[in-house]
Amino acid sequence: MQRLAQTNKQFAKDTSYNGGAIGPKRDDDVVIIGMARTAMTRAKKGPQKDTGLESMLRPCLEAVARQANIDKALVEDIVIGNVLMPGSAATNARMAMFMAGYPETTCVKSINRLCSSGLQSVATVANAIRAGQISVGIGGGFESMSNAQMADQVNPNLLAEEVFECEAANNCLMPMGITSENVAAEFGVDRATQDALAVSSHKKAAAAMKAGLLQGEITPYQTTVKDKDGNETRVTVDKDDGVRPQTTAEGLGKLKAAFQKGGTTTAGNSSQVTDGASCILLARRDVANSLGCRIIGRIVGFSVAGVPPKVMGIGPAFAIPAALERSGLQMSDIDIFEINEAFASQASYCVKKLGVPAEKLNPKGGAIALGHPLGMTGSRMICTLMSELERTQKRFGIVSMCIGTGMGAAGVFERE
C-alpha cells in the first residue's frame, strides 16, 4: 500500500478532492449547498420510536432543497446510508424522496458501510460529481434503532464452516462491546480515562444545547407516538434527548461493565442507541454558482482504512492520516475533529494516538452524549462540523469514525 501511495504521488492530480494539495477555488470543486438533520432521540423510548424511516428522512430532503433554493428536479441522484434494515432500506429512501416532492427522474440508492454509511454516502455522491456522472446530488443516512436489532444482522447458522476456521473472518462476528474491551486491554485505556471522555462529551453537549447550537442544526418535524395501549399523540421532534448535563465521573464509576465481567466498557461510556436521519446536498461549484446557491464548504479528502476486526475501534487512527495525506494537510491544519464516540475506549485511543488537542475534539459533544444512529451518524457529523466551522470562522475540519468488522473512515472538509 505504501508503494502504491508513493507511485500515486508521481502523477499530478488536477482536482481539489483527494488531489494531494489545497488549491484555490475551482469550477469542479464538490461543494456543500445544503445540510439538514432531525433530532437524535432515544431508541424505543423517544419521540421517533414509532416513526418510519421514510418519514424521518422526508423533512431533511425537503430542508436541503429549501436551503439551497433549487428546483428539486435538478437533483440527479440521492444516496442514503442504512445499516440495520433489510436491503439497507432502499425502498424507504425512494418513498421518502417522493414524499419530499422530488420527481421520478431523481434517482436513489442505499448503501451500507456500517457505522460510516452516512459519510460514505456523501463521498459516493462527491465521487459521482467528480467523475462527471452528475452535477447535483444528495448524500445522507437514516436509522431506526427502535425497530431493528443489531444482533439480527448475521445468522451464524447460515455461515460456511470456513468462516470459523479463519480467525479474521470469525472475528467479524465479535460483538462491538467486546471489541471495545479488546482496545482497552491491548492499548491500556483504563476505566477512568473512558469515563472522563464520557463526562466531557455530556458537558460539551449540554453547553452547546444551552447555547442553542445543537437546535440550530435540527430540522423540526411532527410525528406520531404510541403509548403502551396504542393511543396516538402528535409530537414535535426538535431536540436531542440523550444529553445528561449532571453526568459525573463518580456516577459513571458506579456502573457495571456491560459486555464482559471485570471489563471497563459500560452503558455510560458507550454511544447511545438512537433514531434519526440527515442529509447533505452537494453540487459542482460552477453549477452551484450558476444557480445562485450559497456555498457552505467543499469536501477536500476522503479515505477508508482497514484494521484488525477484533480492535475495529482503532480505525480512525489510520483513516485520518490517510485522508489528510490525500488532502495535502497536516494534523496541525485541522481546526475541528469530529470523531465518533462509538465507545470511549476506542475514541480515547485514537485521540491519544493522533495527538488531537482536547479543545479541537467534538466541541459540541459526541455520540456518548448525543447518540449514534448507525446509518445517520456520518452525515450528521458533517452538519455538526460545518455549522461549528461557520460559527467559529475556522477553516478545516475532519469527520471520522470506526467501522465494525475492522475499518475506519475519514472525510476532510473546508469551510467557504
Side-chain angles (χ1 to χ4, degrees):
M1 292 296 293
Q2 288 181 335
R3 289 181 60 189
L4 180 59
Q6 291 297 322
T7 300
N8 285 339
K9 287 182 181 179
Q10 298 176 24
F11 296 92
K13 296 182 179 180
D14 188 26
T15 176
S16 62
Y17 175 40
N18 281 345
I22 296 295
K25 298 175 184 177
R26 297 167 48 101
D27 283 348
D28 63 353
D29 285 342
V30 180
V31 298
I32 297 171
I33 56 174
M35 54 188 191
R37 74 169 179 94
T38 67
M40 292 178 287
T41 59
R42 291 177 295 169
K44 304 187 186 301
K45 297 180 181 179
Q48 295 181 109
K49 69 181 181 67
D50 301 309
T51 302
L53 287 168
E54 62 286 345
S55 296
M56 270 190 257
L57 184 60
R58 174 183 178 174
C60 297
L61 291 173
E62 291 172 337
V64 292
R66 187 166 59 246
Q67 284 175 29
N69 193 29
I70 66 168
D71 183 347
K72 292 170 184 171
L74 295 173
V75 177
E76 297 159 279
D77 204 5
I78 298 174
V79 182
I80 301 297
N82 179 266
V83 178
L84 298 179
M85 296 298 287
S88 296
T91 300
N92 303 77
R94 182 70 167 165
M95 291 172 174
M97 182 212 80
F98 284 127
M99 290 163 61
Y102 290 77
E104 63 188 34
T105 51
T106 299
C107 299
V108 172
K109 72 175 177 181
S110 63
I111 59 173
N112 182 359
R113 199 195 284 269
L114 302 174
C115 296
S116 72
S117 296
L119 174 60
Q120 180 64 64
S121 69
V122 172
T124 299
V125 171
N127 292 341
I129 292 173
R130 176 59 190 153
Q133 289 178 273
I134 63 173
S135 296
V136 182
I138 295 172
F142 55 2
E143 204 73 67
S144 175
M145 299 186 80
S146 291
N147 297 300
Q149 297 292 331
M150 291 184 66
D152 295 340
Q153 298 308 296
V154 178
N155 183 346
N157 296 314
L158 300 179
L159 297 175
E161 286 300 319
E162 289 83 358
V163 169
F164 305 98
E165 297 166 2
C166 173
E167 181 180 2
N170 191 26
N171 284 344
C172 291
L173 296 172
M174 190 173 289
M176 294 298 96
I178 298 302
T179 70
S180 172
E181 294 288 3
N182 291 344
V183 170
E186 184 168 335
F187 301 104
V189 185
D190 61 25
R191 172 70 178 269
T193 298
Q194 295 175 55
D195 286 350
L197 186 141
V199 171
S200 175
S201 184
H202 279 285
K203 288 193 179 304
K204 287 186 286 188
M209 183 170 286
K210 185 176 181 180
L213 304 183
L214 293 174
Q215 289 88 326
E217 300 175 14
I218 294 170
T219 297
Y221 75 102
Q222 286 200 321
T223 191
T224 300
V225 177
K226 298 178 183 178
D227 65 17
K228 59 183 178 61
D229 298 318
N231 299 310
E232 297 183 348
T233 303
R234 292 293 286 176
V235 298
T236 299
V237 182
D238 60 358
K239 180 181 179 182
D240 300 323
D241 67 3
V243 182
R244 297 189 293 271
Q246 304 307 317
T247 300
T248 63
E250 292 75 18
L252 293 180
K254 297 176 183 178
L255 298 177
K256 294 182 179 179
F259 302 100
Q260 180 175 290
K261 185 176 181 179
T264 57
T265 300
T266 72
N269 59 34
S270 304
S271 57
Q272 297 187 42
V273 179
T274 44
D275 303 325
S278 60
C279 57
I280 308 295
L281 178 56
L282 304 164
R284 269 182 62 107
R285 181 182 292 278
D286 54 356
V287 173
N289 285 336
S290 70
L291 295 171
C293 300
R294 183 180 80 87
I295 294 174
I296 298 168
R298 64 177 174 175
I299 180 170
V300 295
F302 174 77
S303 186
V304 290
V307 299
K310 67 179 181 179
V311 287
M312 65 91 202
I314 67 175
F318 295 84
I320 288 174
L324 286 172
E325 182 176 4
R326 289 178 175 174
S327 306
L329 295 170
Q330 305 294 322
M331 285 287 294
S332 58
D333 295 317
I334 303 302
D335 298 300
I336 298 175
F337 292 82
E338 284 289 334
I339 299 178
N340 192 41
E341 299 165 351
F343 299 97
S345 61
Q346 56 82 210
S348 297
Y349 167 79
C350 293
V351 167
K352 182 177 180 180
K353 178 71 174 178
L354 294 168
V356 177
E359 66 275 11
K360 292 184 176 184
L361 175 67
N362 297 346
K364 292 190 279 191
I368 290 174
L370 298 172
H372 177 23
L374 307 180
M376 172 204 192
T377 287
S379 46
R380 188 282 297 175
M381 293 170 73
I382 298 171
C383 294
T384 301
L385 170 68
M386 298 309 296
S387 62
E388 185 66 3
L389 286 174
E390 176 67 24
R391 186 184 75 85
T392 58
Q393 293 295 287
K394 301 294 186 180
R395 185 177 180 187
F396 293 112
I398 276 183
V399 166
S400 185
M401 67 286 295
C402 60
I403 305 170
T405 73
M407 290 173 281
V412 185
F413 298 86
E414 180 183 12
R415 181 184 67 85
E416 189 73 0

